[in-house]
Amino acid sequence: LFTPAGRYLESWQFLERLQHLPGVTVTPIPPIAFYPLAYALDIEQPLDHDHPGGTTFTQRIYLCHLDPTRPMVMYLSGYALIANALTELGSLLQANQVRIPHRYFDYAVPEVLDWTFLTIRQSAADHHRIVTLLRDLYRGPWVHTGKSKGGMTAIFHRRFYPDDVTATVAYVAPLMLALEDPRPIDMIRDELGDGACRARIRAYQRAMLLQRAAMISRLATYSQQSGLPFSMGYGTALEYAVLEFPFAFWQYGPSDCAAVPGPGATVAEMFACLDDAVGLWAYSDPYVAYYYPAFYQFLTETGYTAIYMDPVADLLQAVPDPTYAAFAPPDADLVYRPEAMQDIVAWLQTEGDRMIYIYGGWDPWTGCAVELTGAADALKVVQPGADHGVTILGLDDRDLVLSTLGAWLGMEISPSAGKLAGEVSAPVRRPLPAGGRPPGR
Protein backbone atom coordinates (compact mmCIF):
# COMPACT_ATOMS: atom_id res chain seq x y z
CA LEU A 1 0.00 0.00 0.00
CA PHE A 2 2.74 2.44 0.92
CA THR A 3 5.42 1.47 -1.65
CA PRO A 4 4.21 3.74 -4.49
CA ALA A 5 3.99 6.73 -2.20
CA GLY A 6 7.42 5.99 -0.81
CA ARG A 7 8.96 5.74 -4.26
CA TYR A 8 7.20 8.93 -5.33
CA LEU A 9 8.61 10.74 -2.30
CA GLU A 10 12.08 9.39 -2.99
CA SER A 11 11.88 10.53 -6.62
CA TRP A 12 10.62 13.95 -5.59
CA GLN A 13 13.44 14.36 -3.07
CA PHE A 14 16.05 13.34 -5.64
CA LEU A 15 14.67 15.79 -8.19
CA GLU A 16 14.71 18.53 -5.59
CA ARG A 17 18.36 17.81 -4.83
CA LEU A 18 19.19 18.01 -8.52
CA GLN A 19 17.35 21.31 -8.81
CA HIS A 20 19.42 22.78 -6.00
CA LEU A 21 22.74 22.11 -7.73
CA PRO A 22 24.37 25.48 -8.51
CA GLY A 23 24.26 26.55 -12.13
CA VAL A 24 22.15 23.57 -13.20
CA THR A 25 18.74 23.52 -14.91
CA VAL A 26 16.91 20.20 -14.70
CA THR A 27 14.39 18.81 -17.19
CA PRO A 28 12.85 15.35 -16.64
CA ILE A 29 12.92 13.27 -19.83
CA PRO A 30 11.50 9.83 -20.69
CA PRO A 31 13.64 7.11 -19.07
CA ILE A 32 15.29 4.40 -21.15
CA ALA A 33 16.03 0.70 -20.63
CA PHE A 34 15.86 -0.28 -16.94
CA TYR A 35 16.16 3.25 -15.54
CA PRO A 36 13.16 4.59 -13.60
CA LEU A 37 14.24 8.23 -13.96
CA ALA A 38 16.12 10.29 -16.52
CA TYR A 39 16.97 13.98 -16.79
CA ALA A 40 18.56 16.47 -19.13
CA LEU A 41 20.81 18.75 -17.11
CA ASP A 42 21.89 22.09 -18.55
CA ILE A 43 25.09 22.97 -16.72
CA GLU A 44 26.67 26.41 -16.75
CA GLN A 45 30.37 25.97 -17.47
CA PRO A 46 33.16 28.56 -17.47
CA LEU A 47 34.62 29.05 -20.90
CA ASP A 48 37.99 29.44 -19.18
CA HIS A 49 38.24 27.38 -16.01
CA ASP A 50 41.31 29.35 -15.00
CA HIS A 51 39.04 32.41 -14.75
CA PRO A 52 35.65 30.99 -13.70
CA GLY A 53 34.08 34.40 -13.16
CA GLY A 54 34.18 35.26 -16.86
CA THR A 55 32.24 34.07 -19.91
CA THR A 56 30.16 30.91 -19.54
CA PHE A 57 28.40 28.47 -21.83
CA THR A 58 25.78 25.77 -21.32
CA GLN A 59 26.63 22.07 -21.57
CA ARG A 60 23.69 19.66 -21.75
CA ILE A 61 24.22 16.22 -20.24
CA TYR A 62 21.93 13.22 -19.89
CA LEU A 63 21.54 11.57 -16.51
CA CYS A 64 19.98 8.12 -16.08
CA HIS A 65 19.19 7.48 -12.41
CA LEU A 66 18.88 3.99 -10.98
CA ASP A 67 20.06 3.97 -7.38
CA PRO A 68 22.47 6.32 -5.57
CA THR A 69 24.31 3.32 -4.11
CA ARG A 70 24.99 1.73 -7.50
CA PRO A 71 28.09 2.60 -9.58
CA MET A 72 28.09 5.63 -11.85
CA VAL A 73 29.20 5.30 -15.48
CA MET A 74 30.42 8.57 -16.95
CA TYR A 75 30.32 8.38 -20.76
CA LEU A 76 32.33 11.10 -22.47
CA SER A 77 31.72 11.89 -26.12
CA GLY A 78 34.33 13.43 -28.35
CA TYR A 79 31.53 15.08 -30.31
CA ALA A 80 27.87 15.96 -29.70
CA LEU A 81 25.16 13.86 -28.07
CA ILE A 82 21.77 14.35 -29.64
CA ALA A 83 19.75 11.84 -27.62
CA ASN A 84 19.93 9.65 -24.56
CA ALA A 85 21.08 6.04 -24.99
CA LEU A 86 22.15 3.03 -22.95
CA THR A 87 25.88 2.41 -22.80
CA GLU A 88 27.46 -1.04 -22.67
CA LEU A 89 29.07 -0.36 -19.28
CA GLY A 90 25.85 1.10 -17.90
CA SER A 91 24.17 -2.18 -18.74
CA LEU A 92 27.00 -4.47 -17.61
CA LEU A 93 27.37 -2.71 -14.26
CA GLN A 94 23.65 -2.04 -13.81
CA ALA A 95 24.84 1.45 -13.05
CA ASN A 96 23.60 5.00 -13.07
CA GLN A 97 25.00 6.79 -16.07
CA VAL A 98 25.70 10.28 -17.28
CA ARG A 99 26.47 11.02 -20.94
CA ILE A 100 28.34 14.22 -21.78
CA PRO A 101 28.96 16.02 -25.08
CA HIS A 102 32.30 17.67 -25.81
CA ARG A 103 32.67 21.43 -25.50
CA TYR A 104 32.18 23.38 -28.75
CA PHE A 105 29.86 20.71 -30.19
CA ASP A 106 26.05 20.79 -30.28
CA TYR A 107 24.52 21.41 -26.84
CA ALA A 108 27.86 22.68 -25.56
CA VAL A 109 28.61 25.61 -27.87
CA PRO A 110 29.76 29.00 -26.52
CA GLU A 111 28.12 32.03 -28.09
CA VAL A 112 31.52 33.20 -29.35
CA LEU A 113 33.88 30.49 -30.63
CA ASP A 114 37.21 31.53 -29.20
CA TRP A 115 39.25 28.53 -30.34
CA THR A 116 42.01 29.14 -27.81
CA PHE A 117 39.76 27.67 -25.10
CA LEU A 118 39.20 24.40 -26.97
CA THR A 119 41.96 22.46 -25.24
CA ILE A 120 42.48 19.12 -23.56
CA ARG A 121 42.80 20.81 -20.16
CA GLN A 122 39.67 22.95 -20.50
CA SER A 123 37.59 19.96 -21.58
CA ALA A 124 38.91 17.90 -18.68
CA ALA A 125 37.93 20.72 -16.34
CA ASP A 126 34.37 20.62 -17.75
CA HIS A 127 34.13 16.98 -16.79
CA HIS A 128 35.73 17.50 -13.39
CA ARG A 129 33.10 20.12 -12.58
CA ILE A 130 30.33 17.66 -13.47
CA VAL A 131 31.86 15.05 -11.17
CA THR A 132 32.08 17.65 -8.40
CA LEU A 133 28.39 18.56 -8.83
CA LEU A 134 27.12 14.97 -8.80
CA ARG A 135 29.52 13.23 -6.44
CA ASP A 136 27.43 13.82 -3.32
CA LEU A 137 24.39 12.27 -5.02
CA TYR A 138 26.19 9.12 -6.18
CA ARG A 139 28.42 7.55 -3.58
CA GLY A 140 29.14 4.28 -5.38
CA PRO A 141 32.30 3.74 -7.44
CA TRP A 142 32.63 5.88 -10.55
CA VAL A 143 33.97 4.56 -13.84
CA HIS A 144 34.25 6.59 -16.98
CA THR A 145 34.40 5.55 -20.56
CA GLY A 146 34.19 6.70 -24.15
CA LYS A 147 34.74 5.47 -27.67
CA SER A 148 37.31 6.68 -30.18
CA LYS A 149 37.62 10.44 -29.71
CA GLY A 150 35.39 9.99 -26.67
CA GLY A 151 37.82 7.40 -25.33
CA MET A 152 40.62 9.89 -25.84
CA THR A 153 38.55 12.47 -23.97
CA ALA A 154 38.14 10.08 -21.03
CA ILE A 155 41.87 9.45 -20.98
CA PHE A 156 42.59 13.17 -20.98
CA HIS A 157 40.17 13.78 -18.11
CA ARG A 158 41.82 11.00 -16.12
CA ARG A 159 45.26 12.48 -16.71
CA PHE A 160 44.40 15.81 -15.09
CA TYR A 161 41.88 14.58 -12.50
CA PRO A 162 43.01 11.02 -11.70
CA ASP A 163 40.90 10.76 -8.54
CA ASP A 164 37.57 11.70 -10.14
CA VAL A 165 36.85 8.07 -11.03
CA THR A 166 37.97 4.67 -9.82
CA ALA A 167 38.62 3.19 -13.26
CA THR A 168 38.54 4.01 -16.97
CA VAL A 169 37.53 1.89 -19.95
CA ALA A 170 38.65 3.49 -23.21
CA TYR A 171 37.31 1.89 -26.37
CA VAL A 172 39.32 2.24 -29.62
CA ALA A 173 41.10 5.35 -28.36
CA PRO A 174 44.18 6.20 -30.44
CA LEU A 175 47.06 8.19 -29.04
CA MET A 176 48.75 10.01 -31.91
CA LEU A 177 52.40 10.95 -31.56
CA ALA A 178 52.64 13.42 -34.44
CA LEU A 179 50.62 15.96 -36.35
CA GLU A 180 50.37 13.35 -39.12
CA ASP A 181 51.01 10.02 -37.42
CA PRO A 182 52.01 7.45 -40.09
CA ARG A 183 51.18 4.30 -38.10
CA PRO A 184 47.54 3.88 -39.26
CA ILE A 185 48.71 4.23 -42.86
CA ASP A 186 51.42 1.63 -42.25
CA MET A 187 48.68 -0.81 -41.20
CA ILE A 188 46.57 -0.05 -44.29
CA ARG A 189 49.49 -0.39 -46.67
CA ASP A 190 51.22 -3.43 -45.20
CA GLU A 191 49.07 -5.32 -42.67
CA LEU A 192 45.31 -5.20 -43.22
CA GLY A 193 43.97 -7.84 -45.59
CA ASP A 194 46.16 -9.85 -47.95
CA GLY A 195 48.09 -8.57 -50.94
CA ALA A 196 45.25 -9.29 -53.35
CA CYS A 197 42.76 -7.39 -51.21
CA ARG A 198 44.99 -4.36 -50.90
CA ALA A 199 45.60 -4.40 -54.66
CA ARG A 200 41.84 -4.53 -55.31
CA ILE A 201 41.29 -1.48 -53.08
CA ARG A 202 44.04 0.46 -54.86
CA ALA A 203 42.61 -0.46 -58.25
CA TYR A 204 39.16 0.72 -57.15
CA GLN A 205 40.55 4.07 -55.98
CA ARG A 206 42.28 4.59 -59.30
CA ALA A 207 39.19 3.60 -61.27
CA MET A 208 37.15 6.18 -59.37
CA LEU A 209 39.49 9.00 -60.39
CA LEU A 210 39.98 7.71 -63.91
CA GLN A 211 36.21 8.16 -64.30
CA ARG A 212 36.32 11.60 -62.71
CA ALA A 213 33.73 13.27 -64.96
CA ALA A 214 31.11 10.57 -64.37
CA MET A 215 31.72 10.60 -60.61
CA ILE A 216 31.53 14.39 -60.38
CA SER A 217 28.26 14.31 -62.29
CA ARG A 218 26.89 11.79 -59.79
CA LEU A 219 28.09 13.91 -56.88
CA ALA A 220 26.37 16.97 -58.33
CA THR A 221 23.12 14.99 -58.54
CA TYR A 222 23.69 13.75 -54.97
CA SER A 223 24.08 17.37 -53.84
CA GLN A 224 20.90 18.50 -55.58
CA GLN A 225 18.81 15.62 -54.27
CA SER A 226 20.09 15.87 -50.68
CA GLY A 227 20.09 19.66 -50.55
CA LEU A 228 23.69 19.57 -49.29
CA PRO A 229 25.99 22.19 -50.85
CA PHE A 230 29.65 21.39 -51.54
CA SER A 231 31.44 24.73 -51.56
CA MET A 232 34.83 23.00 -51.62
CA GLY A 233 33.93 21.80 -55.12
CA TYR A 234 32.80 18.43 -56.36
CA GLY A 235 36.26 17.52 -57.60
CA THR A 236 37.83 18.30 -54.24
CA ALA A 237 35.18 16.35 -52.33
CA LEU A 238 35.59 13.39 -54.68
CA GLU A 239 39.35 13.27 -54.28
CA TYR A 240 39.27 13.55 -50.48
CA ALA A 241 36.66 10.79 -50.31
CA VAL A 242 38.69 8.50 -52.58
CA LEU A 243 41.79 9.13 -50.45
CA GLU A 244 39.74 8.27 -47.37
CA PHE A 245 38.30 5.05 -48.76
CA PRO A 246 40.86 2.46 -47.55
CA PHE A 247 40.82 3.90 -44.04
CA ALA A 248 37.03 3.89 -43.94
CA PHE A 249 36.83 0.41 -45.46
CA TRP A 250 38.86 -1.12 -42.63
CA GLN A 251 37.67 1.12 -39.79
CA TYR A 252 34.01 0.17 -40.00
CA GLY A 253 33.85 -2.49 -42.63
CA PRO A 254 32.48 -4.30 -44.38
CA SER A 255 36.17 -5.30 -44.44
CA ASP A 256 35.19 -7.81 -47.14
CA CYS A 257 37.22 -7.30 -50.30
CA ALA A 258 34.48 -8.89 -52.38
CA ALA A 259 32.41 -5.79 -51.59
CA VAL A 260 34.91 -3.54 -53.38
CA PRO A 261 33.83 -2.99 -57.00
CA GLY A 262 36.19 -4.65 -59.44
CA PRO A 263 36.58 -4.63 -63.22
CA GLY A 264 33.23 -4.38 -64.97
CA ALA A 265 31.48 -2.54 -62.14
CA THR A 266 29.10 0.21 -63.21
CA VAL A 267 29.56 3.86 -62.34
CA ALA A 268 26.51 3.62 -60.08
CA GLU A 269 27.99 0.65 -58.18
CA MET A 270 31.35 2.36 -57.78
CA PHE A 271 29.81 5.61 -56.56
CA ALA A 272 27.50 3.81 -54.12
CA CYS A 273 30.43 1.92 -52.62
CA LEU A 274 32.28 5.17 -51.94
CA ASP A 275 29.24 6.78 -50.36
CA ASP A 276 28.47 3.71 -48.23
CA ALA A 277 32.00 3.43 -46.88
CA VAL A 278 33.07 7.05 -46.54
CA GLY A 279 29.88 9.08 -46.45
CA LEU A 280 29.95 11.81 -49.09
CA TRP A 281 27.71 13.94 -46.89
CA ALA A 282 30.82 14.54 -44.74
CA TYR A 283 32.28 16.87 -47.38
CA SER A 284 29.21 19.10 -47.61
CA ASP A 285 29.19 22.55 -46.04
CA PRO A 286 27.12 21.88 -42.89
CA TYR A 287 29.08 18.79 -41.95
CA VAL A 288 32.48 20.32 -42.63
CA ALA A 289 31.47 23.16 -40.31
CA TYR A 290 30.11 20.71 -37.73
CA TYR A 291 33.53 19.06 -37.44
CA TYR A 292 35.54 22.26 -37.15
CA PRO A 293 36.10 21.73 -33.40
CA ALA A 294 37.41 18.18 -33.92
CA PHE A 295 39.87 19.17 -36.60
CA TYR A 296 41.00 22.14 -34.56
CA GLN A 297 41.87 19.72 -31.77
CA PHE A 298 43.52 17.26 -34.14
CA LEU A 299 45.72 19.95 -35.66
CA THR A 300 46.70 21.76 -32.48
CA GLU A 301 47.03 19.15 -29.71
CA THR A 302 45.97 15.55 -30.32
CA GLY A 303 47.50 15.01 -33.74
CA TYR A 304 45.86 12.97 -36.48
CA THR A 305 46.74 10.44 -39.12
CA ALA A 306 48.70 10.97 -42.30
CA ILE A 307 46.93 10.95 -45.67
CA TYR A 308 47.59 7.83 -47.74
CA MET A 309 48.27 9.30 -51.16
CA ASP A 310 50.44 6.67 -52.84
CA PRO A 311 47.76 4.70 -54.74
CA VAL A 312 46.39 7.78 -56.53
CA ALA A 313 48.96 10.56 -56.13
CA ASP A 314 49.45 10.86 -59.89
CA LEU A 315 45.68 11.21 -60.47
CA LEU A 316 44.99 14.04 -58.03
CA GLN A 317 43.98 17.28 -59.74
CA ALA A 318 41.78 19.30 -57.39
CA VAL A 319 43.94 18.61 -54.32
CA PRO A 320 47.44 17.61 -55.45
CA ASP A 321 48.70 18.42 -51.95
CA PRO A 322 45.85 17.28 -49.66
CA THR A 323 45.78 18.44 -46.05
CA TYR A 324 43.39 18.01 -43.14
CA ALA A 325 43.80 21.72 -42.47
CA ALA A 326 41.14 22.11 -45.17
CA PHE A 327 38.61 20.82 -42.61
CA ALA A 328 39.64 23.09 -39.74
CA PRO A 329 37.96 26.42 -38.91
CA PRO A 330 39.32 28.99 -41.37
CA ASP A 331 39.68 31.68 -38.69
CA ALA A 332 41.71 29.54 -36.28
CA ASP A 333 45.44 29.74 -35.62
CA LEU A 334 46.62 26.16 -36.18
CA VAL A 335 49.82 25.70 -34.20
CA TYR A 336 50.52 22.07 -33.29
CA ARG A 337 51.81 21.51 -29.77
CA PRO A 338 53.33 18.01 -29.58
CA GLU A 339 54.03 18.36 -25.87
CA ALA A 340 50.32 17.91 -25.11
CA MET A 341 50.22 14.28 -26.21
CA GLN A 342 53.77 13.60 -25.05
CA ASP A 343 52.59 14.47 -21.54
CA ILE A 344 49.49 12.30 -21.83
CA VAL A 345 51.39 9.22 -23.04
CA ALA A 346 54.15 9.58 -20.45
CA TRP A 347 51.56 9.81 -17.67
CA LEU A 348 49.62 6.79 -18.91
CA GLN A 349 52.74 4.66 -19.07
CA THR A 350 53.94 5.54 -15.58
CA GLU A 351 50.88 6.53 -13.52
CA GLY A 352 47.80 5.51 -15.51
CA ASP A 353 46.52 2.89 -13.09
CA ARG A 354 43.16 1.12 -13.37
CA MET A 355 42.86 1.78 -17.10
CA ILE A 356 41.48 -0.68 -19.67
CA TYR A 357 42.15 -0.10 -23.37
CA ILE A 358 40.15 -2.01 -25.99
CA TYR A 359 41.00 -2.10 -29.70
CA GLY A 360 39.98 -3.91 -32.88
CA GLY A 361 42.62 -5.75 -34.87
CA TRP A 362 41.25 -4.52 -38.22
CA ASP A 363 40.88 -0.91 -37.14
CA PRO A 364 43.63 1.32 -38.60
CA TRP A 365 43.51 3.45 -35.44
CA THR A 366 44.92 0.47 -33.54
CA GLY A 367 48.24 1.49 -35.09
CA CYS A 368 48.12 4.33 -32.53
CA ALA A 369 47.12 2.11 -29.60
CA VAL A 370 48.65 2.87 -26.22
CA GLU A 371 51.98 1.18 -25.62
CA LEU A 372 52.13 -0.07 -22.04
CA THR A 373 55.47 -0.56 -20.30
CA GLY A 374 54.27 -2.54 -17.27
CA ALA A 375 54.81 0.35 -14.89
CA ALA A 376 51.08 1.12 -14.62
CA ASP A 377 48.31 -1.19 -13.41
CA ALA A 378 46.51 -1.26 -16.77
CA LEU A 379 45.12 -3.74 -19.28
CA LYS A 380 45.21 -3.57 -23.07
CA VAL A 381 43.16 -5.92 -25.27
CA VAL A 382 43.24 -6.11 -29.07
CA GLN A 383 40.46 -8.26 -30.57
CA PRO A 384 41.57 -9.98 -33.81
CA GLY A 385 39.26 -9.31 -36.74
CA ALA A 386 37.28 -6.60 -34.93
CA ASP A 387 36.89 -3.08 -36.25
CA HIS A 388 36.22 0.33 -34.66
CA GLY A 389 32.91 -0.92 -33.26
CA VAL A 390 34.46 -3.52 -30.94
CA THR A 391 32.64 -4.13 -27.64
CA ILE A 392 33.52 -5.82 -24.36
CA LEU A 393 31.04 -8.61 -24.95
CA GLY A 394 32.59 -9.26 -28.35
CA LEU A 395 36.06 -9.88 -26.92
CA ASP A 396 37.73 -13.27 -26.66
CA ASP A 397 39.17 -11.90 -23.40
CA ARG A 398 35.78 -10.68 -22.18
CA ASP A 399 36.05 -12.47 -18.84
CA LEU A 400 39.51 -11.03 -18.20
CA VAL A 401 38.25 -7.51 -18.84
CA LEU A 402 35.20 -7.97 -16.61
CA SER A 403 37.13 -9.61 -13.77
CA THR A 404 39.82 -6.92 -13.88
CA LEU A 405 37.28 -4.11 -13.86
CA GLY A 406 35.26 -5.86 -11.16
CA ALA A 407 38.31 -6.17 -8.93
CA TRP A 408 39.02 -2.47 -9.24
CA LEU A 409 35.39 -1.54 -8.52
CA GLY A 410 34.93 -4.10 -5.74
CA MET A 411 32.06 -5.96 -7.41
CA GLU A 412 31.28 -8.95 -9.58
CA ILE A 413 30.24 -8.22 -13.16
CA SER A 414 28.12 -10.73 -15.03
CA PRO A 415 28.31 -10.67 -18.84
CA SER A 416 24.63 -11.58 -18.94
CA ALA A 417 23.83 -8.05 -17.73
CA GLY A 418 25.18 -6.52 -20.94
CA LYS A 419 22.55 -5.61 -23.49
CA LEU A 420 24.47 -3.58 -26.08
CA ALA A 421 21.32 -1.55 -26.67
CA GLY A 422 21.35 1.88 -28.21
CA GLU A 423 25.08 2.58 -28.08
CA VAL A 424 26.84 3.79 -31.19
CA SER A 425 30.58 4.21 -31.42
CA ALA A 426 31.71 7.77 -32.10
CA PRO A 427 34.79 7.51 -34.27
CA VAL A 428 37.74 9.82 -34.53
CA ARG A 429 36.86 10.08 -38.19
CA ARG A 430 33.55 11.74 -38.91
CA PRO A 431 30.49 10.26 -37.20
CA LEU A 432 26.91 11.02 -38.09
CA PRO A 433 25.95 13.99 -35.88
CA ALA A 434 22.35 12.82 -35.62
CA GLY A 435 23.35 9.33 -34.51
CA GLY A 436 23.23 6.12 -36.49
CA ARG A 437 25.93 3.91 -37.92
CA PRO A 438 28.92 6.07 -38.81
CA PRO A 439 29.92 5.20 -42.37
CA GLY A 440 33.63 4.87 -41.77
CA ARG A 441 34.52 8.45 -40.95
Side-chain angles (χ1 to χ4, degrees):
L1 177 63
F2 297 103
T3 300
R7 293 188 62 176
Y8 175 83
L9 179 61
E10 179 184 347
S11 300
W12 179 82
Q13 290 174 336
F14 179 78
L15 176 59
E16 187 178 47
R17 294 187 69 186
L18 282 179
Q19 291 171 332
H20 279 83
L21 294 175
V24 177
T25 301
V26 183
T27 303
I29 59 176
I32 60 171
F34 48 80
Y35 295 103
L37 301 170
Y39 304 93
L41 307 183
D42 289 329
I43 298 178
E44 186 179 28
Q45 292 278 21
L47 181 62
D48 180 4
H49 285 272
D50 293 330
H51 299 90
T55 302
T56 63
F57 70 98
T58 299
Q59 186 173 31
R60 174 168 294 180
I61 71 174
Y62 295 100
L63 171 64
C64 291
H65 173 77
L66 181 63
D67 185 315
T69 65
R70 297 296 302 167
M72 168 61 82
V73 169
M74 186 177 183
Y75 181 94
L76 304 186
S77 173
Y79 302 95
L81 288 174
I82 303 303
N84 205 4
L86 176 63
T87 65
E88 184 181 33
L89 277 181
S91 182
L92 281 168
L93 302 180
Q94 295 291 288
N96 307 285
Q97 69 170 34
V98 59
R99 300 176 75 246
I100 305 170
H102 200 287
R103 64 164 43 202
Y104 283 54
F105 283 92
D106 288 352
Y107 297 102
V109 182
E111 289 187 9
V112 177
L113 293 180
D114 184 335
W115 298 106
T116 61
F117 295 114
L118 180 55
T119 67
I120 287 173
R121 283 182 176 270
Q122 294 287 355
S123 174
D126 291 341
H127 305 136
H128 174 64
R129 184 164 183 273
I130 292 169
V131 173
T132 302
L133 286 168
L134 297 178
R135 174 70 78 183
D136 286 343
L137 296 178
Y138 296 100
R139 292 293 188 172
W142 281 55
V143 55
H144 73 357
T145 185
K147 290 195 171 187
S148 196
K149 187 172 180 292
M152 296 163 62
T153 303
I155 289 170
F156 302 156
H157 172 209
R158 188 72 184 279
R159 158 65 182 97
F160 295 109
Y161 301 95
D163 297 328
D164 273 0
V165 299
T166 302
T168 299
V169 179
Y171 296 78
V172 295
L175 297 169
M176 283 71 76
L177 300 179
L179 177 60
E180 296 182 354
D181 197 313
R183 292 175 294 170
I185 303 309
D186 292 342
M187 284 186 66
I188 292 169
R189 185 183 57 243
D190 302 324
E191 301 175 26
L192 298 176
D194 57 24
C197 178
R198 295 192 290 269
R200 186 180 179 99
I201 292 173
R202 292 193 296 269
Y204 165 73
Q205 290 179 277
R206 294 189 64 81
M208 288 292 294
L209 295 185
L210 286 170
Q211 299 194 55
R212 175 185 308 274
M215 297 304 165
I216 287 177
S217 176
R218 289 234 165 216
L219 184 53
T221 300
Y222 175 97
S223 174
Q224 293 165 4
Q225 293 177 344
S226 65
L228 294 173
F230 288 75
S231 293
M232 69 171 59
Y234 297 135
T236 297
L238 174 67
E239 291 185 5
Y240 272 117
V242 169
L243 287 167
E244 183 86 0
F245 179 79
F247 205 121
F249 176 83
W250 291 111
Q251 182 180 354
Y252 267 110
S255 306
D256 176 6
C257 281
V260 179
T266 66
V267 168
E269 291 169 340
M270 295 171 64
F271 185 87
C273 180
L274 185 68
D275 188 31
D276 288 343
V278 178
L280 289 166
W281 51 266
Y283 301 94
S284 66
D285 295 4
Y287 290 99
V288 169
Y290 175 88
Y291 291 105
Y292 279 163
F295 279 90
Y296 176 82
Q297 291 186 278
F298 298 152
L299 299 175
T300 57
E301 284 191 316
T302 70
Y304 204 51
T305 182
I307 296 177
Y308 185 29
M309 295 176 53
D310 295 354
V312 294
D314 60 316
L315 299 177
L316 298 175
Q317 297 179 16
V319 283
D321 188 21
T323 171
Y324 285 119
F327 301 98
D331 60 335
D333 187 15
L334 301 177
V335 178
Y336 176 60
R337 300 183 293 278
E339 63 274 11
M341 289 302 293
Q342 292 168 358
D343 169 76
I344 296 291
V345 172
W347 183 85
L348 292 175
Q349 291 179 336
T350 57
E351 301 179 58
D353 294 332
R354 302 182 308 281
M355 308 278 292
I356 296 177
Y357 308 91
I358 299 171
Y359 299 95
W362 280 358
D363 180 6
W365 285 117
T366 299
C368 296
V370 64
E371 297 179 7
L372 298 178
T373 64
D377 182 14
L379 175 65
K380 172 184 171 182
V381 177
V382 179
Q383 176 61 33
D387 62 17
H388 207 63
V390 65
T391 62
I392 292 175
L393 293 186
L395 298 174
D396 294 337
D397 290 330
R398 176 195 69 186
D399 292 343
L400 173 62
V401 169
L402 295 181
S403 63
T404 300
L405 180 61
W408 291 340
L409 300 180
M411 61 183 293
E412 291 188 8
I413 305 173
S414 170
S416 63
K419 296 181 180 180
L420 296 178
E423 186 172 12
V424 175
S425 176
V428 168
R429 302 175 100 72
R430 307 174 185 189
L432 285 168
R437 183 180 182 276
R441 291 184 67 82

